[in-house]
Amino acid sequence: MIEEGSKSSKSMVEKRQLFMEMRAQNFDVIRLSTYRTACKLRFVQKRCNLHLVDVWNMIEAFRDNGLSTLDHNAEINVSRLETILSSIFYQLNKRLPTTHQINVEQSIGLLLNFIVATYDSEGHGKLTVFAMKAMLATMCGGKILDKLRYIFSQISDSNGVMVYAKFDQFLREVLKLPTAVFEGPSFGYTEHSVRTCFPQQKKILLNTFLDVLMADPPPQYLVWLPLMHRLANVENVFHPVECSYCRSESMMGFRYRCQQCHGYQLCQSCFWRGHASGPHSNQHQMKEHSSWKSPAKKLSHAISKSLGCMPIGEPPHPVFPEAAERPQDLAHTTTLESPSRLDEEHRLIARYAARLAAEASNSTQRQLIAELENKNREILQEIQRLRLEHEQASQPTPEKAQQNPTLLAELRLLRHRKDELERRMSALQESRRELMVQLEGLMRLLKDEEQKQASQTGSSPHSSPSHSASCTMPMPIRSTSAGSTPTHTPQDCLAGVGDDVLDAFSQGVPRNLRNDLLVAADSITNTMSSLVKELHSVDDGLEDEEENMRNGREKVSSLKHSGKRQSTPSF
């Protein structure tokens, strides 16, 4: 009894988990019911990972689980619903990269409890197929146009005309979603909902259906549906504008601009909560912006619009053929992530092109289509031929390697010689750098010694130079005694250097070593210059040999292409 009680309490906690997390987001502080409802349903969508499932993936799941052949009023139990949700989320994890995998069991549990709480509040353990399709098609990811087209295919007859009774059934099911997030008083179902959306009794085709539901503003009962999609599109939109109320230097999401107060703009958080400052009032009309345009872009847009270079208004959706079509279940449609999606698109394009060609009554149009198709085939063949030639040219073959073995051997020797000269030049550069450092140190030491001798001569002319000079700075040369600091005569400091330097310091009057040092530096520079010239001569030889080989290949290729051009038709 205790175990059964604990399981029951755990099940109740799991059922309430999603609603408890939603309440923790404090969405109820939003003063407008439309934004409040859209934010709550968007939270449920993301928390259950439904935003990662496209509407085409959802249609494929309906087909794989046999729902396309069932009647809309057929009922399924909770266990089968759980199986359908499992297939949806496990297929989702197969499409996602390993670094973005979701917790499948948690997503299934949260979504299952939300669906049961929404459509089986009385606890019968069953719900209709149409209710499940309407809920999942509305709450999944994807474009709102694709969702509405699928919904219309479910509520239209064989002539492609909307059935009012089926649309009424759709409103009953879809309006249970706002009620589930405690927004029923604002968007609950009433008997007048259908007439509110379509006040005039007339034949409703697909274009009319899309015009009404995607209008600005949409029908009052479904105004939260397009807003939920706009919320998803602006979650990461950045506006480099300061909020006039909270003084935030930037905005994320929506941006609202007052139509009466000049330059007064609010972030979505302040607008949703009804904040206002200064002369601005909540009664003023605000315009919602979902993107940011710089003043320069705005000016360019206004000039183009005034000059007639761009259309003033764009239609909310593409215009579909007015001819009545059979209701499309779209169960055969492949998913967007399917590997065969490109092949399916090519087949659809070919089928539409064939239909256009069959419907064209003008012989000129048919002839033009045939000519374009022939040119397209010829271009594709030429592209394929060039691709094969490029692949063959990029791959080394034994015939190419055996064209001129002597020349290839000479090229290898030249490259080897070039590598040796480069290594030698690097070594000489390193030696030159070390020698220049040594020369700089010797010149500094010589200058210090001359200054000391001059000062000693002026102060105590009877003192000996060998006892007055002491080294205070180590020589930057490589020797075994380089790490010790000299404390005696200059000869002790110059241990390990050349004889000329020692002779210079051993004489009474020191020699001027500046010219000798410059001569040494010039000798090093001349050696480097001769080495660079030799290296350049090797490079020129390599380039000449490669140019000869390249010219030979181009002559052979031109002969081959000239023979092919004679048989290739011109466009």
Side-chain angles (χ1 to χ4, degrees):
M1 295 293 293
I2 297 177
E3 292 181 358
E4 292 180 357
S6 62
K7 290 181 180 180
S8 177
S9 61
K10 182 179 180 180
S11 177
M12 292 297 295
V13 170
E14 291 178 351
K15 290 181 179 180
R16 297 177 181 176
Q17 178 183 355
L18 184 63
F19 296 100
M20 293 170 63
E21 293 179 1
M22 184 180 65
R23 287 183 180 276
Q25 299 296 319
N26 200 21
F27 291 122
D28 291 330
V29 299
I30 302 176
R31 65 186 183 97
L32 299 177
S33 59
T34 304
Y35 288 98
R36 197 166 56 240
T37 305
C39 288
K40 290 180 178 180
L41 292 177
R42 175 62 177 168
F43 173 79
V44 173
Q45 183 191 48
K46 295 181 66 176
R47 188 65 182 86
C48 297
N49 289 313
L50 276 175
H51 67 295
L52 301 175
V53 184
D54 194 85
V55 62
W56 306 110
N57 305 133
M58 199 65 71
I59 295 171
E60 184 186 24
F62 295 159
R63 180 199 62 190
D64 293 342
N65 289 273
L67 299 180
S68 302
T69 59
L70 295 179
D71 186 76
H72 284 174
N73 296 322
E75 293 183 339
I76 58 174
N77 53 27
V78 176
S79 60
R80 185 171 182 184
L81 174 61
E82 185 175 4
T83 302
I84 296 171
L85 298 181
S86 300
S87 66
I88 292 173
F89 287 112
Y90 277 112
Q91 289 296 325
L92 171 63
N93 250 2
K94 291 180 180 179
R95 295 189 298 269
L96 293 176
T98 55
T99 56
H100 293 76
Q101 296 287 298
I102 64 170
N103 189 335
V104 174
E105 298 297 332
Q106 185 183 42
S107 301
I108 294 172
L110 290 174
L111 183 57
L112 180 65
N113 292 328
F114 179 76
I115 295 177
V116 171
T118 303
Y119 293 98
D120 188 29
S121 58
E122 298 180 359
H124 297 300
K126 294 182 179 180
L127 71 159
T128 63
V129 172
F130 185 76
M132 189 196 65
K133 284 185 176 181
M135 183 272 172
L136 293 177
T138 303
M139 293 294 293
C140 69
K143 298 180 180 179
I144 187 172
L145 176 64
D146 298 332
K147 292 183 180 182
L148 294 178
R149 289 187 63 192
Y150 172 71
I151 291 171
F152 184 82
S153 69
Q154 302 297 301
I155 61 175
S156 57
D157 58 13
S158 58
N159 296 319
V161 181
M162 188 191 76
V163 180
Y164 277 88
K166 291 184 178 181
F167 180 70
D168 181 74
Q169 184 182 3
F170 166 73
L171 286 181
R172 288 176 184 270
E173 304 300 343
V174 79
L175 290 179
K176 289 179 181 179
L177 293 173
T179 304
V181 293
F182 315 108
E183 297 295 335
S186 300
F187 300 104
Y189 172 81
T190 63
E191 296 180 355
H192 307 287
S193 299
V194 178
R195 296 304 170 198
T196 303
C197 298
F198 299 99
Q200 301 178 0
Q201 289 187 357
K202 58 181 180 180
K203 185 169 66 173
I204 305 298
L205 300 178
L206 175 59
N207 288 322
T208 307
F209 179 79
L210 296 176
D211 288 339
V212 173
L213 268 67
M214 298 184 67
D216 188 16
Q220 179 61 29
Y221 289 96
L222 296 174
V223 68
W224 51 269
L225 180 58
L227 179 58
M228 186 175 69
H229 286 78
R230 296 205 307 273
L231 279 174
N233 294 331
V234 302
E235 285 181 347
N236 298 319
V237 174
F238 175 78
H239 305 267
V241 182
E242 182 183 26
C243 178
S244 301
Y245 182 84
C246 67
R247 298 301 176 184
S248 176
E249 295 182 356
S250 59
M251 305 180 189
M252 292 293 292
F254 286 121
R255 174 171 56 92
Y256 297 90
R257 188 182 191 90
C258 182
Q259 301 300 295
Q260 299 183 25
C261 304
H262 177 71
Y264 194 89
Q265 302 187 80
L266 293 176
C267 62
Q268 67 177 21
S269 178
C270 294
F271 176 75
W272 289 355
R273 286 160 176 78
H275 294 161
S277 60
H280 177 71
S281 172
N282 290 331
Q283 305 301 322
H284 291 179
Q285 184 180 1
M286 303 289 287
K287 185 176 181 180
E288 180 184 278
H289 295 273
S290 58
S291 62
W292 163 256
K293 289 183 179 179
S294 63
K297 289 185 178 180
K298 289 181 180 179
L299 179 61
S300 174
H301 182 82
I303 293 175
S304 300
K305 190 174 181 180
S306 62
L307 295 177
C309 299
M310 56 184 302
I312 298 178
E314 297 181 356
H317 64 84
V319 178
F320 297 94
E322 290 294 342
E325 298 179 356
R326 297 179 59 186
Q328 299 178 2
D329 185 63
L330 302 181
H332 63 281
T333 309
T334 58
T335 62
L336 292 178
E337 291 81 4
S338 174
S340 61
R341 175 173 175 256
L342 293 177
D343 296 336
E344 182 67 22
E345 288 181 352
H346 289 311
R347 287 195 292 270
L348 288 174
I349 292 172
R351 189 158 53 246
Y352 289 143
R355 182 185 300 175
L356 290 174
E359 293 178 354
S361 58
N362 194 334
S363 60
T364 305
Q365 293 180 353
R366 289 198 298 269
Q367 183 179 0
L368 179 60
I369 291 173
E371 292 178 356
L372 291 175
E373 289 179 350
N374 292 331
K375 288 185 178 180
N376 185 34
R377 282 193 295 269
E378 292 175 358
I379 292 172
L380 291 176
Q381 292 175 359
E382 183 66 16
I383 291 174
Q384 184 66 19
R385 184 185 62 79
L386 293 175
R387 183 180 298 155
L388 292 175
E389 290 183 358
H390 176 70
E391 292 177 355
Q392 293 175 359
S394 60
Q395 295 178 357
T397 59
E399 292 78 9
K400 291 182 181 180
Q402 297 176 1
Q403 284 179 356
N404 196 339
T406 305
L407 184 60
L408 293 177
E410 292 178 358
L411 287 174
R412 282 195 294 269
L413 289 175
L414 288 173
R415 290 194 182 96
H416 181 68
R417 177 60 176 167
K418 178 183 176 182
D419 295 338
E420 290 181 353
L421 291 175
E422 287 179 348
R423 288 193 296 268
R424 182 181 173 188
M425 186 176 72
S426 299
L428 288 176
Q429 286 178 346
E430 181 64 23
S431 301
R432 180 176 179 270
R433 186 186 64 81
E434 294 178 358
L435 185 56
M436 292 302 293
V437 172
Q438 294 177 7
L439 292 174
E440 184 180 358
L442 289 173
M443 293 178 69
R444 189 183 299 109
L445 183 61
L446 181 60
K447 183 179 180 180
D448 295 341
E449 183 66 21
E450 291 176 352
Q451 291 178 355
K452 289 180 181 179
Q453 290 180 359
S455 62
Q456 290 177 358
T457 303
S459 60
S460 56
H462 300 286
S463 60
S464 176
S466 61
H467 296 285
S468 62
S470 61
C471 292
T472 58
M473 158 179 169
M475 289 291 295
I477 59 175
R478 294 185 179 179
S479 63
T480 56
S481 62
S484 61
T485 303
T487 57
H488 301 291
T489 64
Q491 284 77 3
D492 297 332
C493 299
L494 297 173
V497 301
D499 295 335
D500 294 337
V501 178
L502 292 177
D503 294 339
F505 282 95
S506 63
Q507 296 174 3
V509 180
R511 292 166 51 188
N512 187 3
L513 296 181
R514 184 182 305 275
N515 293 332
D516 296 339
L517 296 177
L518 293 176
V519 169
D522 291 339
S523 176
I524 295 172
T525 304
N526 293 332
T527 304
M528 291 296 298
S529 300
S530 62
L531 181 61
V532 171
K533 290 179 180 179
E534 186 176 357
L535 183 61
H536 285 178
S537 64
V538 175
D539 289 337
D540 293 338
L542 281 172
E543 292 178 357
D544 293 339
E545 295 297 337
E546 292 177 354
E547 183 67 23
N548 292 333
M549 293 183 68
R550 192 181 305 110
N551 292 334
R553 287 196 295 267
E554 289 179 354
K555 289 180 180 179
V556 174
S557 177
S558 62
L559 290 174
K560 291 170 60 179
H561 285 298
S562 61
K564 292 182 179 180
R565 290 196 196 99
Q566 295 177 359
S567 58
T568 303
S570 59
F571 300 116

